[in-house]
């Protein structure tokens, strides 16, 4: 058997750890999941609701837009209301164009945020750029806050890009325009980080990101950025898109980078449907990390895809019901049942792979397929425990799962261990 067949993810690239409101990014810490609100931050009620929903879904950092005086003024109130709700999640302020002014004019906002995110491509223009960048960095130093320097190719420093394009032309076009753009993105992040350190912001207060919207560009840019820097890195495919397109593109690009040991924190930037569930981006981020074996967030429900043998929809409905219930319970179960995120449940639809898959799970059920005896054996820790029959199979198995959680992860089980 070849070594490639047995290969595991490469060791995580060693980056400098950054503490963001008690959450460590980089420095060997587990990859952190973050998300961003799409509410008007000045609408305190709506923003508090969405931040709380994202945090309860498992987002470990939440970024909010701070684009004008009203939103900056709302930030400390948002923090305080979340604290009263016992929602403890670090808040990141997303600044563009006038971040230096908002932080100076609203010191309570500067103090309330756990991290500032600034974009070197639009922090200021021409002679104002370096000065306004320095003002934000100095504010971060004053309030002891980390900074994410987030380059985005949609707002890339055009002066830097023009210089590199001109140099490429003078050298006889050894690089394509796409390669020059990638280099400009990398240089923008590294130059800005160097400037921040020269001003006095220590390296353990700096996170870098370099977002693009094409899979191959993201892989190339972050591979080079990781090679030339030991800063903590935030991964994200910007403008990833809606639904399956956004999920596939983000997972394909970030999965390759994570497999290579690159990336300390991630966000899946999905465009939600109108009035759609913003927490979906958190769930996809968790599922990416969990399916790759980097972290465990929620119990996994394995279910067969169905075929001509599985004409019944019972196994589909049961798998969906259990998966949704387990995820809904996780905000409470994380505290009540330590280790429950490692639980593996199988819901299978016929005799072909049903018993075997169920034996591999902590608890699994093999439902009858077309033409099979109307009986559903249940396997617990690899051994057949009971056979369910009748119209209440789904309800009975659901109760068995809940009993298993209590018996395996509950307080009584820990005392007897």
């Amino acid at each position: 058997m070849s070594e490639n067949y047995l290969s595991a993810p490469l060791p995580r690239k060693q980056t400098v750890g950054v503490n963001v409101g008690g959450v460590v990014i980089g420095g060997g810490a587990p990859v952190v999941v973050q998300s961003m609100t799409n509410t008007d931050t000045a609408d305190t009620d709506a923003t508090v609701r969405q931040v709380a929903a994202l945090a309860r879904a498992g987002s470990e950092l939440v970024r909010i837009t701070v684009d004008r005086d009203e939103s900056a003024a709302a930030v400390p109130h948002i923090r305080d209301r979340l604290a009263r709700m016992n929602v403890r999640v670090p808040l990141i302020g997303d600044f563009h164009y006038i971040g230096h002014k908002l932080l100076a004019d609203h010191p309570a906002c500067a103090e309330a945020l756990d991290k500032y995110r600034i974009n070197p491509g639009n922090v200021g223009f021409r002679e104002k750029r370096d000065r306004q960048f320095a003002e934000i960095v100095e504010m971060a130093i004053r309030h002891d806050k980390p900074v994410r320097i987030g380059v985005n190719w949609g707002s890339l420093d055009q002066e830097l890009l023009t210089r590199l394009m001109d140099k490429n032309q003078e050298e006889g076009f050894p690089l394509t325009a796409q390669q020059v753009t990638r280099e400009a993105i990398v240089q923008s992040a590294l130059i800005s980080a160097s400037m921040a350190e020269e001003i006095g912001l220590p390296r353990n207060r700096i996170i870098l990101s370099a977002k693009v919207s094409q899979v191959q560009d993201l892989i190339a840019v972050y591979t080079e950025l990781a090679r030339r820097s030991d800063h903590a890195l935030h991964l994200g495919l910007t403008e990833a898109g809606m639904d399956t397109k956004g999920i596939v593109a983000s997972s394909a690009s970030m999965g390759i980078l994570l497999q290579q040991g690159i990336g300390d924190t991630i966000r899946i930037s999905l465009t939600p449907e109108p009035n759609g569930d913003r927490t979906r981006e958190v769930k996809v981020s968790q599922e990416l990390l969990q399916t790759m074996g980097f972290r465990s967030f929620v119990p996994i429900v394995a279910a067969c895809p169905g075929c001509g043998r599985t004409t019944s929809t019972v196994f589909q409905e049961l798998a969906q019901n259990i998966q949704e219930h387990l995820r809904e319970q996780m905000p409470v179960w994380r505290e009540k049942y330590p280790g429950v995120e490692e639980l593996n449940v199988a819901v299978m639809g016929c005799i072909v792979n049903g018993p075997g898959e169920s034996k591999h799970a902590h608890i699994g059920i093999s439902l009858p397929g077309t033409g099979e005896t109307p009986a559903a054996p249940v396997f617990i820790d690899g051994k057949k425990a009971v056979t369910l029959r009748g119209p209440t199979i789904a309800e009975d198995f659901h109760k068995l799962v809940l009993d298993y959680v209590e018996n395996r992860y509950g307080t009584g089980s820990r005392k007897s261990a």
Side-chain angles (χ1 to χ4, degrees), residues 153-169:
W153 75 343
S155 51
L156 184 58
D157 182 345
Q158 292 302 299
E159 291 182 24
L160 173 61
L161 179 60
T162 299
R163 286 200 305 273
L164 293 180
M165 287 289 189
D166 290 345
K167 180 182 178 184
N168 190 54
Q169 182 179 15

Side-chain angles (χ1 to χ4, degrees), residues 35-41 43-65 74-75 77-83 85-92 113-114 278-279 282:
S35 59
M36 184 175 183
T37 60
N38 61 357
T39 58
D40 177 0
T41 305
D43 185 341
T44 303
D45 291 343
T47 303
V48 166
R49 283 196 301 271
Q50 193 171 87
V51 170
L54 291 166
R56 286 167 179 154
S59 184
E60 293 158 301
L61 300 171
V62 178
R63 183 156 48 110
I64 60 177
T65 298
V75 169
H77 300 292
I78 292 168
R79 177 204 55 190
D80 293 344
R81 285 184 53 182
L82 288 168
M85 295 167 62
N86 201 31
V87 176
R88 310 288 179 179
V89 63
L91 295 177
I92 304 164
L113 292 168
D114 294 284
R278 190 66 168 181
T279 65
V282 178

Side-chain angles (χ1 to χ4, degrees), residues 308-350:
R309 292 175 177 271
T310 55
T311 53
S312 169
T313 61
V314 173
F315 80 97
Q316 299 164 326
E317 294 163 354
L318 179 57
Q320 181 180 26
N321 177 273
I322 289 177
Q323 180 73 80
E324 291 176 351
H325 181 79
L326 294 177
R327 183 173 282 278
E328 289 170 359
Q329 295 302 312
M330 281 308 293
V332 174
W333 280 9
R334 285 190 192 99
E335 302 296 328
K336 187 176 181 181
Y337 301 121
V340 71
E341 64 275 6
E342 304 285 348
L343 176 67
N344 193 330
V345 180
V347 180
M348 308 304 293
C350 80

Side-chain angles (χ1 to χ4, degrees), residues 119-399:
N119 184 337
N122 60 29
V123 71
F125 301 99
R126 296 186 177 85
E127 69 280 353
K128 294 181 180 179
R129 182 185 59 225
D130 290 353
R131 173 172 56 80
Q132 293 176 181
F133 178 85
E135 289 177 12
I136 296 179
V137 171
E138 289 166 355
M139 193 70 66
I141 294 169
R142 187 178 311 155
H143 290 277
D144 194 25
K145 306 294 182 180
V147 170
R148 170 153 74 94
I149 297 172
V151 181
N152 188 306
W153 75 343
S155 51
L156 184 58
D157 182 345
Q158 292 302 299
E159 291 182 24
L160 173 61
L161 179 60
T162 299
R163 286 200 305 273
L164 293 180
M165 287 289 189
D166 290 345
K167 180 182 178 184
N168 190 54
Q169 182 179 15
E170 292 168 2
E171 295 175 350
F173 297 102
L175 303 176
T176 65
Q178 183 182 39
Q179 290 172 322
V180 175
T181 301
R182 290 173 176 174
E183 175 62 18
I185 293 169
V186 172
Q187 284 199 25
S188 179
L190 295 177
I191 291 169
S192 299
S194 179
M195 288 176 57
E197 289 188 63
E198 289 174 6
I199 294 167
L201 189 65
R203 183 161 294 208
N204 67 356
R205 307 301 273 167
I206 299 173
I207 298 168
L208 300 183
S209 67
K211 291 191 173 183
V212 295
S213 57
Q214 299 299 320
V215 169
Q216 295 299 336
D217 288 319
L218 192 83
I219 296 168
V221 166
Y222 272 97
T223 299
E224 186 63 14
L225 192 59
R227 186 183 70 83
R228 291 155 64 173
S229 166
D230 64 353
H231 286 95
L233 298 177
H234 167 72
L235 302 185
L237 190 73
T238 191
E239 290 91 39
M242 298 183 70
D243 199 37
T244 56
K245 187 270 181 185
I247 294 172
V248 170
S250 294
S251 299
S253 55
M254 286 191 271
I256 289 172
L257 291 167
L258 290 166
Q259 184 75 9
Q260 294 175 349
I262 298 171
D264 301 293
T265 173
I266 68 169
R267 180 192 173 207
I268 303 285
S269 301
L270 296 179
T271 304
E273 297 177 358
N275 301 312
D277 184 2
R278 190 66 168 181
T279 65
R280 193 179 187 199
E281 66 178 51
V282 178
K283 298 171 186 175
V284 175
S285 294
Q286 291 178 330
E287 287 170 3
L288 173 61
L289 294 174
Q290 185 153 342
T291 55
M292 292 190 71
F294 292 116
R295 292 187 64 184
S296 294
F297 296 95
V298 296
I300 290 178
V301 177
C304 68
C307 66
R309 292 175 177 271
T310 55
T311 53
S312 169
T313 61
V314 173
F315 80 97
Q316 299 164 326
E317 294 163 354
L318 179 57
Q320 181 180 26
N321 177 273
I322 289 177
Q323 180 73 80
E324 291 176 351
H325 181 79
L326 294 177
R327 183 173 282 278
E328 289 170 359
Q329 295 302 312
M330 281 308 293
V332 174
W333 280 9
R334 285 190 192 99
E335 302 296 328
K336 187 176 181 181
Y337 301 121
V340 71
E341 64 275 6
E342 304 285 348
L343 176 67
N344 193 330
V345 180
V347 180
M348 308 304 293
C350 80
I351 199 170
V352 173
N353 291 313
E357 292 282 358
S358 297
K359 289 177 184 177
H360 287 305
H362 289 111
I363 179 170
I365 186 170
S366 180
L367 292 161
T370 304
E372 295 177 22
T373 303
V378 174
F379 297 83
I380 296 178
D381 292 329
K383 297 179 181 180
K384 184 177 176 181
V386 66
T387 298
L388 302 179
R389 293 181 173 84
T392 62
I393 285 178
E395 292 85 349
D396 293 342
F397 180 67
H398 193 278
K399 184 178 184 303

